[in-house]
Amino acid sequence: MKTTNLLSLLIIALLFACKDDEQATTSLELTFEHKAGEEVFEYEHLYETEAGNEFSLRLWRTYISKVRLIKKDGAIYEIPDSYYLIEPLNEGRFSLELENIPVGEYEKISFYIGVAGEANLSEEIVGDLDPSNNMAWNWTTGYKYVRMDGEFIDIVGNRRGVVVHIGTANNLKNLVFNLSPLSLGEERAHLNFVVDLLEAFKNPHTIDFEVENDFQFNNEADLIGENYSNGYIYLKEETAQH
Amino acid sequence: MELPPKEEPFELKAPVYFGEFNNRIPEDNPPTEKGFQLGRMLFYETKLSGDNSMSCGSCHQQQKAFADGLAVSKGIDGVAGQVSAMSLVNMLWSEKFTWNGRMPSLETQSLEPITNPIEMHESLENAIIKLEEDGYSDLFQDVFGSPEITEEKIGKALSQFQRALISADSKYDQKLRGEYQPTQQELRGEKLFFTHPIPGQLRGGNCGDCHLGPLTSGAIDGLQGFHNNGLDNDENMDEGLMAVTGDPKDRGRFKTPSLRNIALTAPYMHDGRFQTLEEVLEHYDQGIHQSNTLDILIIEGSNENQAAGERPQLFLSEQEKEDIIAFLHMLTDENFINNPQFSNPFENENN
């Protein structure tokens, strides 16, 4: 009898707790269009870098993490366990759904390129982190944040690789995008980003594959890290249905 | 006929560092204790071969980490195949099976050697009749809820057994769990194995670019785990993945095998051309053949600055090669090759 009473009390308490915390939530869809300049990106298709190298890729993946929505008053909503592996799937597109976001008006969205936080150096399976997904080095180095495997033909006609495996803490880059602002209500809103392959190889550092074509742990890898911190992912349009 | 006695409760268990696997178990073939046991019996069942002389276990022997120690194996008619019997291990972290990836699932792969005329050379109709005569119908009833023996059910049961062949108790696993302190040589070898070299900055064996992470097997998604590792030049190269995709870019690309228990699975490569791990290391160090499809991760992997177009070499020292081999020996899992749950259930009957 006593147990039953206690249990009922607990249930009532829980009900109240839920009610207090109850806040209308909504979802937000993010789409990433993979492009090479203006063109829709395709694997095994030739593109030209700023430096004039013609190259193609067979694999292109980007980790983003710690997705945050920021209100005018500075209040931050961080999507829990937000680790997403972005890759060109359907006609270069990749979509993901952020759920349980408190309704409201948001001024900014931010996320990292790379795997932020301790999860990078752990074997935990959280979000899209998975030690068997071809993005991990090991637990002392963590994940590759941006991976491109491809090839180019050099000026004398040799077939050479384009190997871009960028990770490590210094290449973790926080991106912040201003929204107009975005009113998240009961209707589903949508943010459309572009990931531009060619931006990884320019601005500010013009990368010439004739000079360096293997980017892993070396100083040149950090140059690509600096390149992808600005312009590699940009916000193309936002739509909120009211 | 009865199911062999349970040794221990059957459960698919794997270390977290192997990564997610539940999403790769087909929904229509969830593992069960009885399914595993039936699969184990079928795996060792010689009635599945034309003359009742061979089973899956003939070419996939537990003591050899489910390989057979031969470059190529002969079937019941004494005709040799063209590729080496693959070690069966950690198959949950794999999606396209056999050296050229032509089998989309373990269920379909499992049936192929039964009917292959140069392997077990038996029709499934005949095999099913023989199983019925042997009293297997009751076992199929227990596992699948109906007594009919079908090729689909045979494939499913065999797959359940093979999915359970998880090797995760090597010295390397013990090291990862903090239970084993490796020697200095083993530690050097581990580091070399997983390091992509950067001339002048970082010495590496470049193995981990294809043999990923603690599983040491190829990438799972798509065709990423298939590589041309420089065994031959364009003129004498085997088709590999191209036989499946028809794409000339896939010529000479083969499935990157797991290196788990690699010290037990000689000879090496899809055609068993290398007898020892030393020969394998020599190949990657200075035996690479150039071709139009040679993997870029090999082209761009050297400890010295090489001129573009030069034959890619690693430039490893003798000591470094020995270190890597010491690491490879760490991948041997005695508990896996001696696990009584994976052994031939019919052998005890004769003892």
Side-chain angles (χ1 to χ4, degrees):
Chain A
M1 187 65 190
K2 200 172 181 186
T3 326
T4 321
N5 280 341
L6 275 177
L7 197 63
S8 338
L9 274 176
L10 188 66
I11 289 170
I12 290 164
L14 278 173
L15 280 173
F16 274 101
C18 289
K19 195 159 189 187
D20 280 346
D21 285 342
E22 206 171 282
Q23 197 183 359
T25 60
T26 185
S27 64
L28 171 64
E29 186 187 44
L30 308 187
T31 298
F32 294 84
E33 286 176 37
H34 290 73
K35 290 186 147 185
E38 291 305 307
E39 290 178 61
V40 174
F41 172 81
E42 286 175 58
Y43 284 123
E44 312 286 356
H45 188 94
L46 280 179
Y47 299 106
E48 191 176 336
T49 62
E50 182 99 331
N53 316 123
E54 286 207 331
F55 74 111
S56 65
L57 294 188
R58 69 176 192 208
L59 182 66
W60 178 18
R61 288 175 159 179
T62 305
Y63 260 120
I64 66 164
S65 63
K66 219 171 230 196
V67 182
R68 292 168 162 171
L69 285 156
I70 302 150
K71 287 185 174 168
K72 193 175 181 180
D73 62 3
I76 294 172
Y77 179 73
E78 184 175 317
I79 314 294
D81 293 338
S82 45
Y83 301 97
Y84 301 101
L85 185 56
I86 310 293
E87 57 186 322
L89 291 182
N90 306 314
E91 294 177 351
R93 297 165 80 85
F94 186 96
S95 293
L96 59 95
E97 188 92 9
L98 307 178
E99 282 166 352
N100 299 317
I101 304 166
V103 298
E105 210 167 68
Y106 292 92
E107 284 215 314
K108 290 182 172 116
I109 183 169
S110 75
F111 51 78
Y112 285 86
I113 293 184
V115 179
E118 286 173 9
N120 189 41
L121 299 181
S122 92
E123 60 202 26
E124 253 184 293
I125 300 175
V126 193
D128 282 350
L129 299 181
D130 181 339
S132 65
N133 74 358
N134 203 9
M135 289 296 280
W137 273 303
N138 56 52
W139 319 129
T140 44
T141 344
Y143 283 89
K144 300 168 188 181
Y145 303 159
V146 171
R147 176 168 184 164
M148 300 168 186
D149 291 8
E151 57 187 78
F152 78 111
I153 305 290
D154 69 12
I155 34 172
V156 285
N158 292 308
R159 178 175 163 262
R160 291 162 67 183
V162 174
V163 184
V164 179
H165 296 184
I166 316 291
T168 64
N170 53 324
N171 291 312
L172 186 66
K173 305 289 180 182
N174 192 28
L175 309 185
V176 184
F177 303 92
N178 289 318
L179 304 172
S180 60
L182 184 68
S183 179
L184 294 183
E186 282 171 17
E187 299 290 328
R188 206 171 67 155
H190 182 111
L191 295 177
N192 191 2
F193 292 90
V194 170
V195 195
D196 185 350
L197 172 66
L198 301 183
E199 282 287 333
F201 306 113
K202 65 178 181 187
N203 180 30
H205 308 289
T206 302
I207 305 287
D208 185 351
F209 297 151
E210 299 284 348
V211 181
E212 184 58 60
N213 58 330
D214 187 6
F215 307 87
Q216 310 196 50
F217 293 117
N218 47 3
N219 300 331
E220 289 80 2
D222 298 348
L223 299 183
I224 292 194
E226 286 171 29
N227 284 352
Y228 71 54
S229 68
N230 187 10
Y232 173 69
I233 298 184
Y234 62 89
L235 180 59
K236 185 175 153 195
E237 61 184 335
E238 43 186 299
T239 49
Q241 292 125 352
H242 296 282
Chain B
M1 177 174 262
E2 283 177 17
L3 287 165
K6 262 203 241 183
E7 315 272 353
E8 276 170 36
F10 163 73
E11 189 190 348
L12 290 180
K13 275 196 297 192
V16 66
Y17 52 73
F18 276 9
E20 175 56 29
F21 62 89
N22 284 305
N23 55 1
R24 277 188 295 274
I25 300 173
E27 277 177 19
D28 64 353
N29 194 19
T32 62
E33 173 68 31
K34 284 180 175 169
F36 164 80
Q37 294 295 0
L38 174 60
R40 177 184 169 197
M41 292 173 75
L42 293 173
F43 187 86
Y44 290 104
E45 181 53 78
T46 53
K47 294 278 166 64
L48 293 180
S49 65
D51 62 358
N52 304 333
S53 68
M54 290 184 84
S55 71
C56 308
S58 304
C59 297
H60 298 286
Q61 302 163 14
Q62 186 181 10
Q63 282 297 311
K64 296 190 171 80
F66 296 97
D68 64 359
L70 301 169
V72 292
S73 322
K74 287 179 179 168
I76 64 165
D77 303 321
V79 183
Q82 291 181 332
V83 289
S84 202
M86 293 187 91
S87 166
L88 307 180
V89 66
N90 300 339
M91 301 179 90
L92 275 163
W93 295 270
S94 188
E95 285 189 352
K96 293 172 187 66
F97 299 92
T98 78
W99 286 104
N100 66 12
R102 73 182 185 281
M103 292 300 172
S105 71
L106 211 41
E107 278 76 4
T108 49
Q109 164 61 42
S110 299
L111 294 171
E112 204 274 342
I114 299 173
T115 55
N116 192 320
I118 60 167
E119 297 187 36
M120 292 160 77
H121 201 179
E122 178 59 293
S123 71
L124 284 160
E125 295 75 21
N126 265 338
I128 288 168
I129 292 167
K130 287 191 276 179
L131 292 179
E132 284 168 351
E133 287 169 359
D134 258 17
Y136 268 92
S137 299
D138 292 347
L139 305 182
F140 277 77
Q141 165 78 44
D142 283 350
V143 174
F144 297 105
S146 58
E148 292 78 28
I149 301 177
T150 65
E151 64 176 80
E152 188 194 355
K153 288 179 185 170
I154 295 172
K156 281 183 173 178
L158 282 169
S159 301
Q160 286 199 34
F161 173 70
Q162 291 171 87
R163 285 200 178 94
L165 299 176
I166 295 172
S167 172
D169 201 19
S170 67
K171 267 191 187 172
Y172 181 49
D173 296 288
Q174 291 162 16
K175 183 248 173 186
L176 291 174
R177 296 197 300 258
E179 297 163 7
Y180 171 72
Q181 178 57 49
T183 66
Q184 288 305 310
Q185 180 170 48
E186 287 169 339
L187 286 172
R188 289 196 304 269
E190 179 194 10
K191 195 164 177 215
L192 285 165
F193 182 93
F194 287 111
T195 303
H196 177 91
I198 300 169
Q201 294 182 42
L202 203 55
R203 298 212 43 100
N206 209 30
C207 320
D209 274 17
C210 298
H211 296 279
L212 308 173
L215 284 164
T216 65
S217 47
I220 304 168
D221 295 347
L223 301 171
Q224 289 175 47
F226 290 78
H227 301 275
N228 175 345
N229 61 345
L231 291 174
D232 296 297
N233 56 29
D234 288 306
E235 287 68 46
N236 53 15
M237 185 185 292
D238 289 340
E239 268 196 309
L241 183 62
M242 182 185 162
V244 181
T245 64
D247 187 342
K249 283 201 189 73
D250 293 333
R251 195 147 174 260
R253 287 175 72 185
F254 289 91
K255 186 177 178 75
T256 305
S258 166
L259 301 185
R260 291 277 169 169
N261 302 296
I262 193 70
L264 306 175
T265 63
Y268 303 109
M269 304 297 148
H270 68 277
D271 53 7
R273 68 175 66 188
F274 299 132
Q275 300 304 312
T276 62
L277 290 173
E278 284 74 12
E279 284 180 40
V280 174
L281 265 287
E282 282 309 310
H283 164 70
Y284 286 117
D285 190 45
Q286 47 192 337
I288 294 290
H289 290 272
Q290 302 256 45
S291 68
N292 291 325
T293 56
L294 177 62
D295 202 276
I296 56 145
L297 295 171
I298 286 183
I299 298 176
E300 303 306 331
S302 178
N303 287 287
E304 305 279 339
N305 281 308
Q306 287 195 273
E310 238 180 280
R311 167 200 280 248
Q313 284 181 250
L314 277 169
F315 298 101
L316 293 171
S317 69
E318 287 310 307
Q319 179 70 58
E320 286 170 326
K321 288 180 221 172
E322 287 168 24
D323 293 347
I324 292 172
I325 289 172
F327 171 71
L328 294 174
H329 278 271
M330 280 184 86
L331 298 172
T332 300
D333 182 348
E334 294 290 337
N335 288 333
F336 176 72
I337 61 167
N338 292 309
N339 186 340
Q341 286 190 303
F342 303 152
S343 66
N344 185 342
F346 305 116
E347 270 179 2
N348 294 332
E349 285 180 2
N350 306 328
N351 293 344

